[in-house]
Amino acid sequence: STAEDIEGFNGAGLYESNTGWLFPEAAPAGDANKTIERALLKTWDSYWLFGAFEERRNAGVDHLSGNMGVAVHPRFDDDKELSNGVITLELARLPAGPRTVLSVNVQKGALSVTNPPIGSNALPEVDVVRSADPGKVERVRPSTEVAAGEHLLSDDELISMHAALADLASDWLDARNARHNPQQANSTVTIDLEFKRMRGDWPIRADGATDADRIVYKQARTLILVMLAATLV
């Protein structure tokens, strides 16, 4: 929705995602009514859920000022997830030059990074890469779900991820500043992403073809970061 992640209003989690089966007759028991058409309708319709309506009203957002779209992609099946994680990339254009910090939280399989099951003591791997120290990966904490000395992301993957997302953040900031006068230009942006490492047999294809295991960026959005300068020393 365009009434989400706007200045002064986060709105994350207000709207729904729904699974639709291309061939409902082949769906598991209880899912036969989950057609593509129903999933599209329910997702689009979630703009008017009571909680979403109330959150927009409390924030002073005009309901009719927003638009709703639906992104359709293969479902991320738990048994095909090798790992999953959350990333923030902070960019600050300082007088001495741009500075970026990549922070990654990643966990094994489909186990949630932020909300593990009740009673679980699972903690994700935490890694940091800084432009001020190129080529170096700061291993803050390993995952509690892997063997000692094992990492869910390699140094090369993290360094490559930092470079790619630093470019994305720079382009995003340029696009945002294109709407403003030079005197109103922003010098900072923080991008928040979700990603999954999926097995090569995801998604299931009609011809049976598979790919190599790969990292898939599921979504990206910007965050408002407070005291950015303190994190970029």
Side-chain angles (χ1 to χ4, degrees), residues 79-98:
D79 64 343
K80 299 186 186 301
E81 283 188 39
L82 298 174
S83 60
N84 74 100
V86 178
I87 303 168
T88 58
L89 188 290
E90 306 164 12
L91 165 65
R93 290 175 175 165
L94 306 175

Side-chain angles (χ1 to χ4, degrees), residues 30-185:
D31 281 4
N33 67 333
K34 294 183 178 180
T35 63
I36 294 293
E37 294 82 359
R38 178 177 177 276
L40 288 168
L41 179 61
K42 283 181 66 63
T43 303
W44 185 88
D45 186 59
S46 67
Y47 186 83
W48 295 107
L49 288 173
F50 178 77
F53 183 94
E54 287 296 290
E55 288 290 336
R56 292 193 302 268
R57 183 177 67 84
N58 290 337
V61 176
D62 179 3
H63 304 294
L64 298 182
S65 69
N67 295 299
M68 193 69 170
V70 179
V72 181
H73 58 76
R75 186 178 69 173
F76 293 95
D77 299 290
D78 287 354
D79 64 343
K80 299 186 186 301
E81 283 188 39
L82 298 174
S83 60
N84 74 100
V86 178
I87 303 168
T88 58
L89 188 290
E90 306 164 12
L91 165 65
R93 290 175 175 165
L94 306 175
R99 294 288 184 271
T100 53
V101 176
L102 175 82
S103 301
V104 181
N105 285 251
V106 58
Q107 186 56 284
K108 183 179 180 180
L111 182 61
S112 174
V113 168
T114 56
N115 298 300
I118 295 175
S120 171
N121 293 319
L123 295 173
E125 175 180 316
V126 180
D127 306 306
V128 175
V129 181
R130 305 173 189 272
S131 61
D133 202 352
K136 179 181 178 181
V137 173
E138 181 182 344
R139 299 287 185 177
V140 179
R141 184 181 67 206
S143 166
T144 56
E145 306 306 296
V146 301
E150 183 179 343
H151 301 300
L152 294 170
L153 291 171
S154 69
D155 284 11
D156 287 346
E157 286 176 324
L158 287 163
I159 291 169
S160 176
M161 187 180 285
H162 172 261
L165 297 183
D167 287 343
L168 173 63
S170 183
D171 290 345
W172 203 313
L173 186 56
D174 288 342
R176 173 180 288 178
N177 285 336
R179 306 194 303 264
H180 303 304
N181 296 323
Q183 298 84 355
Q184 298 173 312

